[in-house]
Short mmCIF file of all heavy atoms in Angstrom, two decimals:
data_model
loop_
_atom_site.label_atom_id
_atom_site.label_comp_id
_atom_site.label_asym_id
_atom_site.label_seq_id
_atom_site.Cartn_x
_atom_site.Cartn_y
_atom_site.Cartn_z
N GLY A 1 -79.75 12.23 112.02
CA GLY A 1 -79.09 13.07 113.01
C GLY A 1 -80.09 13.59 114.02
O GLY A 1 -81.31 13.48 113.83
N THR A 2 -79.58 14.17 115.10
CA THR A 2 -80.47 14.68 116.15
C THR A 2 -80.75 16.17 116.01
O THR A 2 -81.55 16.72 116.76
CB THR A 2 -79.87 14.39 117.54
OG1 THR A 2 -78.55 14.94 117.62
CG2 THR A 2 -79.80 12.90 117.80
N GLY A 3 -80.10 16.84 115.07
CA GLY A 3 -80.42 18.24 114.76
C GLY A 3 -80.17 19.20 115.91
O GLY A 3 -79.17 19.12 116.62
N THR A 4 -81.11 20.13 116.08
CA THR A 4 -80.92 21.19 117.08
C THR A 4 -81.02 20.65 118.51
O THR A 4 -80.52 21.28 119.44
CB THR A 4 -81.98 22.29 116.92
OG1 THR A 4 -83.28 21.73 117.15
CG2 THR A 4 -81.92 22.88 115.52
N GLY A 5 -81.72 19.53 118.68
CA GLY A 5 -81.90 18.98 120.02
C GLY A 5 -83.04 19.62 120.79
O GLY A 5 -83.31 19.23 121.93
N LYS A 6 -83.74 20.57 120.18
CA LYS A 6 -84.85 21.22 120.89
C LYS A 6 -85.91 20.21 121.30
O LYS A 6 -86.51 20.33 122.38
CB LYS A 6 -85.47 22.31 120.00
CG LYS A 6 -86.64 23.04 120.65
CD LYS A 6 -87.14 24.17 119.79
CE LYS A 6 -88.37 24.84 120.39
NZ LYS A 6 -88.12 25.43 121.70
N TYR A 7 -86.14 19.22 120.45
CA TYR A 7 -87.16 18.21 120.75
C TYR A 7 -86.54 16.84 121.07
O TYR A 7 -87.25 15.85 121.15
CB TYR A 7 -88.11 18.09 119.55
CG TYR A 7 -88.79 19.40 119.23
CD1 TYR A 7 -88.30 20.22 118.22
CD2 TYR A 7 -89.90 19.83 119.96
CE1 TYR A 7 -88.91 21.44 117.93
CE2 TYR A 7 -90.50 21.05 119.69
CZ TYR A 7 -90.01 21.85 118.67
OH TYR A 7 -90.60 23.07 118.40
N ASP A 8 -85.24 16.83 121.27
CA ASP A 8 -84.52 15.60 121.62
C ASP A 8 -83.33 16.00 122.48
O ASP A 8 -82.18 16.01 122.03
CB ASP A 8 -84.07 14.88 120.35
CG ASP A 8 -83.36 13.56 120.64
OD1 ASP A 8 -83.25 13.18 121.82
OD2 ASP A 8 -82.89 12.93 119.68
N ARG A 9 -83.60 16.34 123.73
CA ARG A 9 -82.60 16.92 124.61
C ARG A 9 -81.42 15.99 124.91
O ARG A 9 -80.32 16.45 125.21
CB ARG A 9 -83.26 17.34 125.94
CG ARG A 9 -84.28 18.45 125.81
CD ARG A 9 -83.65 19.75 125.39
NE ARG A 9 -84.59 20.86 125.45
CZ ARG A 9 -84.31 22.09 125.03
NH1 ARG A 9 -83.13 22.36 124.52
NH2 ARG A 9 -85.21 23.04 125.11
N ASP A 10 -81.66 14.68 124.82
CA ASP A 10 -80.59 13.73 125.13
C ASP A 10 -79.77 13.32 123.91
O ASP A 10 -78.87 12.50 124.02
CB ASP A 10 -81.18 12.46 125.77
CG ASP A 10 -81.68 12.70 127.18
OD1 ASP A 10 -81.09 13.55 127.87
OD2 ASP A 10 -82.67 12.05 127.58
N ALA A 11 -80.10 13.90 122.75
CA ALA A 11 -79.41 13.52 121.50
C ALA A 11 -79.50 12.00 121.31
O ALA A 11 -78.50 11.32 121.08
CB ALA A 11 -77.96 13.98 121.51
N ASP A 12 -80.72 11.49 121.39
CA ASP A 12 -80.96 10.05 121.40
C ASP A 12 -81.38 9.58 120.00
O ASP A 12 -82.50 9.81 119.55
CB ASP A 12 -82.07 9.75 122.41
CG ASP A 12 -82.30 8.27 122.62
OD1 ASP A 12 -81.82 7.47 121.81
OD2 ASP A 12 -82.98 7.92 123.61
N LEU A 13 -80.49 8.89 119.32
CA LEU A 13 -80.79 8.40 117.97
C LEU A 13 -81.89 7.34 117.98
O LEU A 13 -82.65 7.22 117.01
CB LEU A 13 -79.52 7.85 117.32
CG LEU A 13 -78.54 8.89 116.78
CD1 LEU A 13 -77.25 8.21 116.33
CD2 LEU A 13 -79.15 9.68 115.62
N ASP A 14 -81.98 6.56 119.05
CA ASP A 14 -83.06 5.58 119.14
C ASP A 14 -84.42 6.28 119.16
O ASP A 14 -85.39 5.81 118.55
CB ASP A 14 -82.89 4.70 120.38
CG ASP A 14 -81.76 3.71 120.24
OD1 ASP A 14 -81.45 3.33 119.09
OD2 ASP A 14 -81.19 3.30 121.27
N PHE A 15 -84.51 7.40 119.85
CA PHE A 15 -85.74 8.20 119.86
C PHE A 15 -86.05 8.71 118.46
O PHE A 15 -87.20 8.66 118.01
CB PHE A 15 -85.60 9.37 120.84
CG PHE A 15 -86.69 10.39 120.74
CD1 PHE A 15 -87.96 10.13 121.23
CD2 PHE A 15 -86.45 11.62 120.15
CE1 PHE A 15 -88.97 11.07 121.13
CE2 PHE A 15 -87.46 12.57 120.05
CZ PHE A 15 -88.72 12.29 120.54
N GLU A 16 -85.02 9.20 117.76
CA GLU A 16 -85.22 9.71 116.40
C GLU A 16 -85.74 8.61 115.48
O GLU A 16 -86.64 8.84 114.66
CB GLU A 16 -83.90 10.28 115.86
CG GLU A 16 -83.32 11.44 116.63
CD GLU A 16 -84.04 12.76 116.42
OE1 GLU A 16 -84.81 12.88 115.44
OE2 GLU A 16 -83.84 13.68 117.24
N LYS A 17 -85.21 7.42 115.61
CA LYS A 17 -85.64 6.30 114.76
C LYS A 17 -87.09 5.92 115.04
O LYS A 17 -87.87 5.70 114.11
CB LYS A 17 -84.71 5.10 114.97
CG LYS A 17 -83.32 5.27 114.40
CD LYS A 17 -82.49 4.01 114.53
CE LYS A 17 -82.08 3.75 115.95
NZ LYS A 17 -81.13 2.63 116.08
N ARG A 18 -87.43 5.82 116.32
CA ARG A 18 -88.81 5.46 116.67
C ARG A 18 -89.79 6.52 116.18
O ARG A 18 -90.87 6.21 115.66
CB ARG A 18 -88.95 5.26 118.18
CG ARG A 18 -88.21 4.04 118.72
CD ARG A 18 -88.64 3.73 120.14
NE ARG A 18 -88.41 4.84 121.06
CZ ARG A 18 -87.29 5.03 121.74
NH1 ARG A 18 -86.28 4.18 121.59
NH2 ARG A 18 -87.17 6.05 122.57
N LEU A 19 -89.42 7.78 116.36
CA LEU A 19 -90.27 8.89 115.93
C LEU A 19 -90.47 8.84 114.41
O LEU A 19 -91.60 8.99 113.92
CB LEU A 19 -89.62 10.21 116.34
CG LEU A 19 -90.38 11.50 116.06
CD1 LEU A 19 -91.70 11.52 116.83
CD2 LEU A 19 -89.53 12.71 116.43
N LEU A 20 -89.41 8.61 113.68
CA LEU A 20 -89.49 8.56 112.23
C LEU A 20 -90.35 7.39 111.77
O LEU A 20 -91.18 7.52 110.86
CB LEU A 20 -88.09 8.47 111.63
CG LEU A 20 -87.96 8.49 110.11
CD1 LEU A 20 -88.61 9.73 109.52
CD2 LEU A 20 -86.49 8.41 109.70
N ALA A 21 -90.16 6.24 112.40
CA ALA A 21 -90.93 5.05 112.03
C ALA A 21 -92.42 5.29 112.23
O ALA A 21 -93.25 4.96 111.36
CB ALA A 21 -90.47 3.85 112.86
N LEU A 22 -92.81 5.86 113.37
CA LEU A 22 -94.22 6.13 113.64
C LEU A 22 -94.79 7.17 112.68
O LEU A 22 -95.91 7.04 112.19
CB LEU A 22 -94.38 6.60 115.08
CG LEU A 22 -94.11 5.55 116.17
CD1 LEU A 22 -94.11 6.22 117.54
CD2 LEU A 22 -95.17 4.45 116.13
N ALA A 23 -94.00 8.22 112.41
CA ALA A 23 -94.48 9.29 111.52
C ALA A 23 -94.72 8.78 110.11
O ALA A 23 -95.74 9.09 109.49
CB ALA A 23 -93.47 10.44 111.51
N VAL A 24 -93.80 7.99 109.60
CA VAL A 24 -93.94 7.46 108.24
C VAL A 24 -95.13 6.50 108.16
O VAL A 24 -95.92 6.54 107.21
CB VAL A 24 -92.65 6.76 107.78
CG1 VAL A 24 -92.85 6.03 106.46
CG2 VAL A 24 -91.52 7.78 107.65
N SER A 25 -95.28 5.65 109.18
CA SER A 25 -96.43 4.73 109.20
C SER A 25 -97.74 5.49 109.22
O SER A 25 -98.70 5.14 108.52
CB SER A 25 -96.34 3.80 110.41
OG SER A 25 -95.26 2.90 110.28
N GLY A 26 -97.80 6.55 110.02
CA GLY A 26 -99.02 7.35 110.09
C GLY A 26 -99.31 8.06 108.78
O GLY A 26 -100.46 8.10 108.33
N ALA A 27 -98.27 8.61 108.16
CA ALA A 27 -98.46 9.33 106.90
C ALA A 27 -98.93 8.41 105.78
O ALA A 27 -99.74 8.81 104.93
CB ALA A 27 -97.17 10.03 106.50
N LEU A 28 -98.43 7.17 105.79
CA LEU A 28 -98.76 6.22 104.72
C LEU A 28 -99.95 5.33 105.08
O LEU A 28 -100.35 4.49 104.26
CB LEU A 28 -97.54 5.36 104.40
CG LEU A 28 -96.32 6.10 103.86
CD1 LEU A 28 -95.16 5.14 103.67
CD2 LEU A 28 -96.64 6.83 102.57
N CYS A 29 -100.47 5.51 106.31
CA CYS A 29 -101.57 4.66 106.78
C CYS A 29 -101.23 3.18 106.64
O CYS A 29 -102.05 2.37 106.20
CB CYS A 29 -102.87 4.98 106.02
SG CYS A 29 -103.42 6.68 106.20
N THR A 30 -99.98 2.87 106.98
CA THR A 30 -99.47 1.51 106.84
C THR A 30 -98.72 1.11 108.10
O THR A 30 -97.79 1.80 108.51
CB THR A 30 -98.51 1.40 105.64
OG1 THR A 30 -99.20 1.82 104.45
CG2 THR A 30 -98.01 -0.02 105.46
N ARG A 31 -99.13 0.02 108.70
CA ARG A 31 -98.46 -0.44 109.91
C ARG A 31 -97.02 -0.85 109.59
O ARG A 31 -96.76 -1.55 108.60
CB ARG A 31 -99.21 -1.63 110.50
CG ARG A 31 -98.61 -2.16 111.79
CD ARG A 31 -99.46 -3.28 112.35
NE ARG A 31 -98.89 -3.82 113.57
CZ ARG A 31 -99.44 -4.80 114.28
NH1 ARG A 31 -100.59 -5.34 113.88
NH2 ARG A 31 -98.86 -5.23 115.38
N ASP A 32 -96.08 -0.39 110.43
CA ASP A 32 -94.66 -0.73 110.25
C ASP A 32 -94.21 -0.49 108.82
O ASP A 32 -93.59 -1.36 108.19
CB ASP A 32 -94.41 -2.19 110.65
CG ASP A 32 -94.73 -2.48 112.10
OD1 ASP A 32 -94.56 -1.54 112.93
OD2 ASP A 32 -95.14 -3.59 112.43
N ALA A 33 -94.49 0.71 108.31
CA ALA A 33 -94.15 1.03 106.92
C ALA A 33 -92.65 0.91 106.66
O ALA A 33 -92.22 0.52 105.57
CB ALA A 33 -94.62 2.45 106.59
N VAL A 34 -91.85 1.26 107.66
CA VAL A 34 -90.39 1.08 107.57
C VAL A 34 -89.95 0.36 108.84
O VAL A 34 -89.97 0.94 109.93
CB VAL A 34 -89.65 2.43 107.45
CG1 VAL A 34 -88.15 2.19 107.35
CG2 VAL A 34 -90.14 3.21 106.23
N PRO A 35 -89.56 -0.91 108.75
CA PRO A 35 -89.17 -1.67 109.94
C PRO A 35 -88.00 -1.03 110.68
O PRO A 35 -87.11 -0.43 110.06
CB PRO A 35 -88.77 -3.04 109.36
CG PRO A 35 -89.48 -3.13 108.05
CD PRO A 35 -89.53 -1.73 107.53
N LEU A 36 -88.03 -1.16 111.99
CA LEU A 36 -86.96 -0.57 112.80
C LEU A 36 -85.60 -1.17 112.44
O LEU A 36 -84.57 -0.51 112.61
CB LEU A 36 -87.25 -0.79 114.29
CG LEU A 36 -88.27 0.18 114.91
CD1 LEU A 36 -88.59 -0.24 116.34
CD2 LEU A 36 -87.75 1.61 114.88
N GLU A 37 -85.57 -2.39 111.95
CA GLU A 37 -84.29 -3.00 111.57
C GLU A 37 -83.61 -2.19 110.46
O GLU A 37 -82.38 -2.04 110.45
CB GLU A 37 -84.49 -4.44 111.10
CG GLU A 37 -85.00 -5.40 112.16
CD GLU A 37 -86.49 -5.26 112.42
OE1 GLU A 37 -87.22 -4.83 111.49
OE2 GLU A 37 -86.93 -5.56 113.55
N ILE A 38 -84.41 -1.69 109.54
CA ILE A 38 -83.86 -0.87 108.46
C ILE A 38 -83.36 0.45 109.02
O ILE A 38 -82.30 0.95 108.63
CB ILE A 38 -84.92 -0.65 107.37
CG1 ILE A 38 -85.21 -1.97 106.65
CG2 ILE A 38 -84.45 0.41 106.37
CD1 ILE A 38 -86.28 -1.87 105.59
N LEU A 39 -84.12 1.05 109.94
CA LEU A 39 -83.69 2.30 110.56
C LEU A 39 -82.41 2.11 111.36
O LEU A 39 -81.56 3.00 111.41
CB LEU A 39 -84.81 2.84 111.45
CG LEU A 39 -86.04 3.33 110.70
CD1 LEU A 39 -87.18 3.59 111.66
CD2 LEU A 39 -85.73 4.58 109.91
N ASP A 40 -82.25 0.95 111.99
CA ASP A 40 -81.01 0.66 112.71
C ASP A 40 -79.81 0.74 111.77
O ASP A 40 -78.74 1.26 112.13
CB ASP A 40 -81.06 -0.73 113.35
CG ASP A 40 -81.98 -0.80 114.56
OD1 ASP A 40 -82.27 0.27 115.13
OD2 ASP A 40 -82.41 -1.91 114.91
N GLU A 41 -80.00 0.24 110.56
CA GLU A 41 -78.91 0.25 109.58
C GLU A 41 -78.49 1.68 109.23
O GLU A 41 -77.31 1.93 108.95
CB GLU A 41 -79.33 -0.49 108.31
CG GLU A 41 -79.57 -1.98 108.51
CD GLU A 41 -80.11 -2.64 107.26
OE1 GLU A 41 -80.16 -1.96 106.20
OE2 GLU A 41 -80.48 -3.83 107.32
N LEU A 42 -79.43 2.61 109.25
CA LEU A 42 -79.14 4.00 108.88
C LEU A 42 -78.26 4.69 109.91
O LEU A 42 -77.58 5.68 109.58
CB LEU A 42 -80.44 4.79 108.70
CG LEU A 42 -81.46 4.24 107.71
CD1 LEU A 42 -82.62 5.20 107.55
CD2 LEU A 42 -80.82 3.93 106.37
N THR A 43 -78.27 4.22 111.14
CA THR A 43 -77.42 4.84 112.17
C THR A 43 -76.15 4.04 112.44
O THR A 43 -75.23 4.53 113.08
CB THR A 43 -78.20 5.00 113.48
OG1 THR A 43 -78.70 3.73 113.91
CG2 THR A 43 -79.35 5.98 113.32
N GLU A 44 -76.14 2.77 112.01
CA GLU A 44 -74.96 1.94 112.25
C GLU A 44 -73.89 2.09 111.18
O GLU A 44 -72.70 1.96 111.45
CB GLU A 44 -75.37 0.48 112.33
CG GLU A 44 -76.23 0.12 113.54
CD GLU A 44 -75.53 0.36 114.87
OE1 GLU A 44 -74.28 0.33 114.90
OE2 GLU A 44 -76.22 0.58 115.87
N LYS A 45 -74.30 2.40 109.94
CA LYS A 45 -73.31 2.55 108.88
C LYS A 45 -72.53 3.85 109.06
O LYS A 45 -73.03 4.83 109.65
CB LYS A 45 -73.98 2.51 107.51
CG LYS A 45 -74.96 3.65 107.25
CD LYS A 45 -75.62 3.52 105.89
CE LYS A 45 -76.59 4.67 105.65
NZ LYS A 45 -77.19 4.61 104.31
N MET A 46 -71.31 3.87 108.54
CA MET A 46 -70.46 5.04 108.66
C MET A 46 -70.21 5.65 107.28
O MET A 46 -70.16 4.96 106.28
CB MET A 46 -69.11 4.64 109.29
CG MET A 46 -69.22 4.16 110.71
SD MET A 46 -69.77 5.46 111.83
CE MET A 46 -70.27 4.49 113.26
N PRO A 47 -70.08 7.00 107.23
CA PRO A 47 -69.82 7.65 105.94
C PRO A 47 -68.41 7.37 105.45
O PRO A 47 -67.54 6.96 106.23
CB PRO A 47 -70.00 9.13 106.28
CG PRO A 47 -69.61 9.23 107.72
CD PRO A 47 -70.07 7.94 108.36
N ASP A 48 -68.20 7.60 104.16
CA ASP A 48 -66.86 7.43 103.59
C ASP A 48 -65.89 8.43 104.18
O ASP A 48 -66.26 9.54 104.50
CB ASP A 48 -66.92 7.60 102.07
CG ASP A 48 -67.81 6.52 101.43
OD1 ASP A 48 -67.91 5.43 102.03
OD2 ASP A 48 -68.37 6.81 100.36
#
């Protein structure tokens, strides 16, 4: 989700995915620790 929007004024899920991917890679010291294709799936699926 985009949360409060304080740091994502456009409510841009693509921005959230890229930010998360970079943060996780940096934390784990691993390039492309979570591929963007997997992150795409997290925003494309719908809840029950």
Side-chain angles (χ1 to χ4, degrees):
T2 56
T4 63
K6 180 176 176 61
Y7 301 98
D8 182 3
R9 295 294 188 185
D10 289 328
D12 187 345
L13 283 172
D14 287 333
F15 169 74
E16 299 286 343
K17 289 185 289 187
R18 292 193 302 271
L19 183 63
L20 184 56
L22 291 171
V24 172
S25 292
L28 297 177
C29 300
T30 303
R31 181 177 179 179
D32 298 328
V34 180
L36 281 174
E37 295 78 27
I38 292 178
L39 291 169
D40 287 340
E41 294 175 7
L42 304 186
T43 56
E44 293 298 335
K45 63 182 180 177
M46 295 294 163
D48 298 332

